[in-house]
Amino acid sequence: MRYKLMVVAIFVGLSILLAGCRWSQETDDVAFITAIGVDKAEGEKIKVTFQVVIPRAVSSLQGIGQEIQGGPTMISSIVAPNITEARNLLATSMSRTPNLSHVQALLIGEEVARSGTGDIVSSIMRFREYRGGMFMVVVRGKSEDFLTSTKPKLELLPSKFFEAFGKSSEQVGYYLRVEVHDLYLRLKNPGGSAYATYVGINPLTGEDTPLDTKMPNDKAKGYLPKDIPRAGTENPTEFAGTVVFNGDKMVGAIDTSETRILAMLHNDLPRGVFTLDDPLEPQHEVSLNMRNGSSPKIDVDLIDGREVIKINVFLEGEITGIPSGINYEKPEYRELLEAAISDVVTQEIQGLIRHTQELGSDVVGFGYELRSHFATYRELRETNLAELYKTASVDVKVTTKLRRTGLMWKTSPYALTATSE
Amino acid sequence: MSYQPGKMGVAAGTAIVFTTTFTSFFLSVWSVFTDQAATAAWLVPSINAVCFLSLFWIVLYVMQRVPGDLYEVAERLLGKTGARLITLYFITTFFIDAVLTLRQFAENTLLTAIPSLDISLVAGWYVLIASFYVYLGIEPIARAAYIVLPVGLTALTLLLLGLYTKFHLYNLRPWLGDGLGVLLKSGVPSSGFYLHTFILAILAPAFQNLRTIRTAALLGIGLTTIFRTLTLIMYMGIFSVEVGREKVLPFYEMARLIYLSRYLQRVEAFYIILWVILGLATIAIDLYMANYLLTRLFNLQSMRPLILPLAIIAAQLALIPADIATAIELNVKADTIYFAAGVLVVPVVLLMANLIKGKRKAKSCATN
């Protein structure tokens, strides 16, 4: 019995010693990288920018220890033939071993995105330290500038900045949370085109430069990053719109309004405020908080070699503002409003599809619904779904039901005013 | 004699079958099924189960008519030479499985947890622990596996539920993949993955009666098939074919995708512990069976002197494949060719021998 206990004790002791302690690393021997940016450099090389966390600076911000100038992160840019070599070279400039297991975001400069992201993404999916849940982002400009300009005032932890942005994408639908895993699936599997979040650095001049994609009756304008009219002291970087790919190359971008429609078609719109012309008094606007009432019904058929798409969207909404004072809570007026919002959303869906057909990018993923039309997987693989999408015909039907009216159930008209002489 | 397997019931038998048949699912088997059967890969476990059970039932039918364990039945029907050949075959299958499982688990430990460690250290340490289990005997291993079983199944279920947001049903279409022919070509040979169920027949005296063995086999294979099918459905629904066929560690990759909130993420570390426990149990069971059959074959007094030498040989052989891709390919070939041959041939040979012997006996009785 004693012999058996001794053997067990030896094994337990050995297992502690042999569990990799020989090659263990303390947390203060490791440099944690929270974001990686990739830009084009001269020749065939790339410039890789690493955002490295300074743990002592994070503690000082929390009131522990001495204050460190420059903020909780440091930026290091390295020119190398690929991302792996860049990491190796980074280690030569730091006293700690770079660790990539906490990278929250992969940022690709627009120039690199337009020339092809396949090489970068495939090497990322292979290396064990990277995780597929990293935020996948394309920068309008250079990712090095984006990382250098990112100075969030609301977030203490640099890693939380990207994580929180990913979470808050659900609040408005003006940008989507796209992970590297999602992009990689779309690059490899037949059915839909890849897309990524679009970001940029706002000049903070307050200048209004919307895109010309505004729909009739829709008061809201569509923006791309850098174009939102804002000024102030907050972080200049912004997330707006979506980059669309054809294969692994960026071919264009859809703005904030179109991105919201994309979220809606993906049944991923928990909340989105639409502002449209008041149906009875067009000089005023009405704002409605809309969301998917049910999963959009998308039927895709192949008729005479042509893709035919039927979209049926059901939206539920809440009235959030009626400046005109008209009692839209009344059933007959409410129906007018429902018809108006349905009309706006129908046009926006058609606009999104037209735009993406021109770009040859099926970001909605209509091709996935076409998979059941193929007898075998080989047949599916050999069909060019992206080409089929370009000539697809679309029929859209939107139904809206306004369920809630905010804190008011009946709008009273404004008091009579004196006539001016 | 010291190699008597002890006394086991339905629970222990189920645990042995489930542990040895499901553990390969922590390796690269799913990628192989996906590569072969495309979107219909999730149907492969069901085809495996149907093929295997129909053949295993033949073995049980023969054992009903001829008492004893598989070795004794083979001896009565095929003679000493036939019995020894069958025993030799099973020794090699269990040993090959131990070697290849050991190599893959060692590689996977390096890939997921301790990349800087030397592989010989990992393989040596694993085989040492497995030898210790073998020394304790099959009954403690089975009972320990039975204790871990509900934890493992619960963890697996939580993993599947935690990934529901990433699942898309359209990734499973077209439903029949590349056609029924390709599906059967993939599903029938891979029923070799269930070969370990023969352990119940080999250790028959340890179980109360044939009904216990039958129940354990059904429960074990049933559980394995259900969970294999569900995990494959989830895997296909998340990764689809093109990405699914690339993964070395499909299970680990799925666990890495779990993100339920800021505080419920990065849970793959827990699953590593789970598959190491089940992997070690599988290696131990394989080594035990190889030892046990060697002892029976050469009519040795005890199997204990063989434990450590066999373990060392297994560790050495495990390091022979040059890389992980070779080890995976060898494992697939072993399961779909060598093991599948045994699954098909052994029951048929025993049945034929039983029928022929039965006819001769009836003839001789009639003559008398």
Side-chain angles (χ1 to χ4, degrees):
Chain A
M1 185 61 188
R2 210 190 300 171
Y3 171 69
K4 278 183 184 167
L5 278 171
M6 224 163 61
V7 169
V8 168
I10 289 169
F11 271 121
V12 169
L14 275 176
S15 68
I16 295 165
L17 291 172
L18 290 173
C21 282
R22 164 73 175 83
W23 291 272
S24 67
Q25 286 182 311
E26 296 297 320
T27 48
D28 59 3
D29 288 338
V30 174
F32 292 103
I33 296 164
T34 48
I36 298 177
V38 181
D39 296 305
K40 243 191 168 29
E42 273 177 31
E44 294 292 319
K45 295 194 177 178
I46 52 172
K47 189 185 227 182
V48 184
T49 306
F50 298 95
Q51 181 190 61
V52 186
V53 174
I54 306 172
R56 287 186 304 140
V58 174
S59 312
S60 77
L61 285 171
Q62 288 172 321
I64 306 161
Q66 202 184 5
E67 193 180 313
I68 308 290
Q69 275 198 340
T73 59
M74 68 183 198
I75 304 292
S76 184
S77 294
I78 293 172
V79 175
N82 56 52
I83 213 169
T84 320
E85 183 58 21
R87 178 186 177 263
N88 289 344
L89 291 170
L90 180 69
T92 63
S93 63
M94 295 198 305
S95 55
R96 300 184 181 190
T97 314
N99 185 292
L100 299 159
S101 54
H102 289 273
V103 175
Q104 294 289 335
L106 175 67
L107 300 97
I108 310 255
E110 187 163 335
E111 211 182 329
V112 172
R114 287 191 183 273
S115 62
T117 54
D119 291 349
I120 295 164
V121 174
S122 61
S123 61
I124 282 192
M125 293 304 291
R126 192 177 289 268
F127 189 47
R128 57 174 293 276
E129 280 188 13
Y130 293 111
R131 300 177 71 86
M134 290 188 294
F135 212 158
M136 179 72 207
V137 148
V138 171
V139 180
R140 194 180 185 192
K142 290 194 177 297
S143 59
E144 184 187 9
D145 298 336
F146 184 90
L147 284 172
T148 316
S149 308
T150 299
K151 290 186 191 329
K153 297 213 170 44
L154 290 172
E155 304 303 336
L156 197 62
L157 299 171
S159 57
K160 190 162 177 266
F161 173 72
F162 288 107
E163 209 172 347
F165 252 113
K167 190 88 182 89
S168 63
S169 67
E170 296 165 6
Q171 296 305 310
V172 287
Y174 278 167
Y175 63 94
L176 302 174
R177 181 187 167 85
V178 184
E179 294 173 356
V180 172
H181 159 81
D182 298 323
L183 183 98
Y184 190 68
L185 288 181
R186 287 226 170 182
L187 286 179
K188 294 262 176 162
N189 291 312
S193 301
Y195 57 94
T197 316
Y198 207 14
V199 303
I201 306 165
N202 194 292
L204 295 179
T205 56
E207 200 184 324
D208 189 4
T209 47
L211 285 183
D212 192 23
T213 55
K214 188 169 109 52
M215 292 295 149
N217 305 331
D218 185 359
K219 288 282 194 195
K221 299 170 190 172
Y223 293 98
L224 287 178
K226 287 180 162 181
D227 299 337
I228 296 173
R230 63 185 183 102
T233 57
E234 175 43 347
N235 189 22
T237 55
E238 59 194 12
F239 289 56
T242 303
V243 153
V244 302
F245 290 82
N246 187 348
D248 70 336
K249 292 186 173 58
M250 174 184 166
V251 289
I254 56 176
D255 63 29
T256 46
S257 303
E258 289 171 315
T259 302
R260 190 171 51 186
I261 295 298
L262 179 62
M264 190 187 289
L265 293 174
H266 283 170
N267 194 27
D268 203 12
L269 188 71
R271 178 192 161 91
V273 177
F274 284 75
T275 309
L276 54 149
D277 290 334
D278 190 312
L280 296 171
E281 286 193 21
Q283 69 271 24
H284 294 291
E285 69 262 359
V286 178
S287 57
L288 305 156
N289 184 7
M290 308 299 297
R291 66 181 190 97
N292 283 103
S294 64
S295 189
K297 286 182 186 45
I298 298 176
D299 289 312
V300 184
D301 217 341
L302 260 182
I303 297 170
D304 296 331
R306 196 174 179 214
E307 197 173 308
V308 175
I309 302 168
K310 285 197 178 98
I311 302 172
N312 207 320
V313 175
F314 177 60
L315 298 172
E316 285 184 344
E318 177 184 351
I319 301 174
T320 52
I322 311 173
S324 61
I326 295 172
N327 185 14
Y328 279 111
E329 293 89 343
K330 225 168 149 183
E332 50 269 32
Y333 289 140
R334 194 176 64 232
E335 281 167 14
L336 274 175
L337 200 51
E338 286 169 353
I341 184 72
S342 297
D343 191 44
V344 164
V345 172
T346 303
Q347 287 179 60
E348 292 198 348
I349 292 175
Q350 287 166 343
L352 169 70
I353 292 173
R354 248 191 326 269
H355 188 186
T356 51
Q357 278 179 318
E358 282 163 23
L359 296 172
S361 180
D362 176 14
V363 284
V364 179
F366 295 116
Y368 289 119
E369 303 301 329
L370 211 48
R371 285 168 76 122
S372 49
H373 288 85
F374 294 92
T376 65
Y377 183 75
R378 189 169 288 129
E379 224 179 286
L380 167 70
R381 195 83 186 95
E382 287 164 4
T383 307
N384 193 334
L385 295 172
E387 276 302 317
L388 274 178
Y389 175 66
K390 278 166 95 166
T391 54
S393 67
V394 183
D395 178 38
V396 182
K397 183 174 171 223
V398 177
T399 315
T400 306
K401 280 277 171 245
L402 294 173
R403 302 286 188 203
R404 277 160 280 279
T405 53
L407 290 172
M408 293 156 64
W409 75 281
K410 188 177 182 177
T411 308
S412 303
Y414 291 107
L416 295 168
T417 53
T419 52
S420 54
E421 286 180 28
Chain B
M1 292 191 218
S2 77
Y3 62 79
Q4 292 309 316
K7 287 280 168 232
M8 292 184 281
V10 170
T14 309
I16 289 175
V17 172
F18 180 82
T19 304
T20 51
T21 54
F22 190 80
T23 303
S24 58
F25 243 48
F26 292 119
L27 305 173
S28 312
V29 149
W30 317 13
S31 307
V32 172
F33 285 168
T34 307
D35 191 36
Q36 291 171 349
T39 47
W42 61 280
L43 285 169
V44 170
S46 306
I47 296 172
N48 292 162
V50 166
C51 288
F52 180 82
L53 278 174
S54 41
L55 290 161
F56 189 67
W57 246 239
I58 294 173
V59 171
L60 292 180
Y61 168 75
V62 171
M63 285 175 74
Q64 206 169 20
R65 296 159 69 95
V66 182
D69 62 20
L70 192 67
Y71 182 86
E72 286 161 2
V73 168
E75 203 174 23
R76 286 205 178 108
L77 294 175
L78 303 170
K80 268 202 163 60
T81 314
R84 282 171 185 168
L85 280 172
I86 286 177
T87 308
L88 207 56
Y89 167 78
F90 278 111
I91 291 170
T92 52
T93 55
F94 289 124
F95 195 66
I96 288 169
D97 194 62
V99 165
L100 292 172
T101 307
L102 177 62
R103 174 56 186 269
Q104 287 179 87
F105 269 98
E107 290 278 2
N108 296 342
T109 306
L110 260 58
L111 193 59
T112 57
I114 323 169
S116 313
L117 202 57
D118 193 52
I119 190 171
S120 50
L121 200 60
V122 181
W125 185 239
Y126 277 169
V127 91
L128 210 61
I129 305 253
S131 319
F132 181 65
Y133 291 171
V134 173
Y135 179 84
L136 293 174
I138 189 73
E139 200 184 328
I141 300 173
R143 291 188 196 282
Y146 184 66
I147 292 169
V148 172
L149 194 64
V151 176
L153 293 179
T154 310
L156 204 54
T157 311
L158 288 173
L159 171 81
L160 299 179
L161 290 173
L163 288 167
Y164 82 95
T165 53
K166 300 209 183 287
F167 176 81
H168 299 288
L169 195 61
Y170 53 63
N171 281 329
L172 289 157
R173 299 188 196 123
W175 297 106
L176 279 181
D178 276 325
L180 202 59
V182 172
L183 180 61
L184 288 173
K185 211 170 141 186
S186 168
V188 172
S190 55
S191 44
F193 279 106
Y194 285 113
L195 181 96
H196 288 80
T197 316
F198 276 95
I199 292 174
L200 301 178
I202 295 168
L203 298 178
F207 298 94
Q208 288 99 341
N209 47 46
L210 266 180
R211 200 170 58 173
T212 311
I213 295 174
R214 198 176 290 130
T215 313
L218 254 179
L219 280 175
I221 290 175
L223 268 175
T224 302
T225 308
I226 289 169
F227 277 91
R228 276 184 160 197
T229 306
L230 287 174
T231 44
L232 266 172
I233 287 173
M234 202 47 133
Y235 184 64
M236 298 301 307
I238 293 169
F239 292 104
S240 197
V241 179
E242 301 304 320
V243 177
R245 61 161 56 118
E246 293 179 338
K247 305 292 182 191
V248 168
L249 285 175
F251 187 79
Y252 177 69
E253 296 269 10
M254 273 176 51
R256 289 221 308 176
L257 285 177
I258 293 178
Y259 182 95
L260 297 171
S261 72
R262 284 177 61 210
Y263 306 103
L264 255 171
Q265 55 168 321
R266 295 174 185 255
V267 296
E268 67 271 14
F270 171 71
Y271 289 97
I272 293 173
I273 298 170
L274 182 67
W275 61 246
V276 166
I277 292 171
L278 290 175
L280 277 174
T282 304
I283 295 167
I285 292 171
D286 281 334
L287 284 175
Y288 178 87
M289 291 310 301
N291 272 297
Y292 175 81
L293 287 170
L294 268 172
T295 316
R296 290 285 310 256
L297 185 68
F298 295 110
N299 216 10
L300 301 173
Q301 289 291 318
S302 165
M303 67 186 252
R304 280 180 185 171
L306 285 178
I307 295 173
L308 214 48
L310 219 60
I312 292 168
I313 294 169
Q316 292 294 319
L317 289 175
L319 297 175
I320 288 178
D323 49 65
I324 179 70
T326 311
I328 293 168
E329 262 177 70
L330 277 172
N331 194 13
V332 171
K333 282 192 176 130
D335 281 317
T336 56
I337 301 171
Y338 192 57
F339 294 10
V343 165
L344 179 66
V345 167
V346 168
V348 169
V349 161
L350 288 175
L351 179 69
M352 280 170 53
N354 179 240
L355 290 171
I356 293 167
K357 272 219 150 88
K359 269 191 189 158
R360 278 191 199 153
K361 206 173 180 181
K363 225 185 203 176
S364 71
C365 286
T367 315
N368 288 344

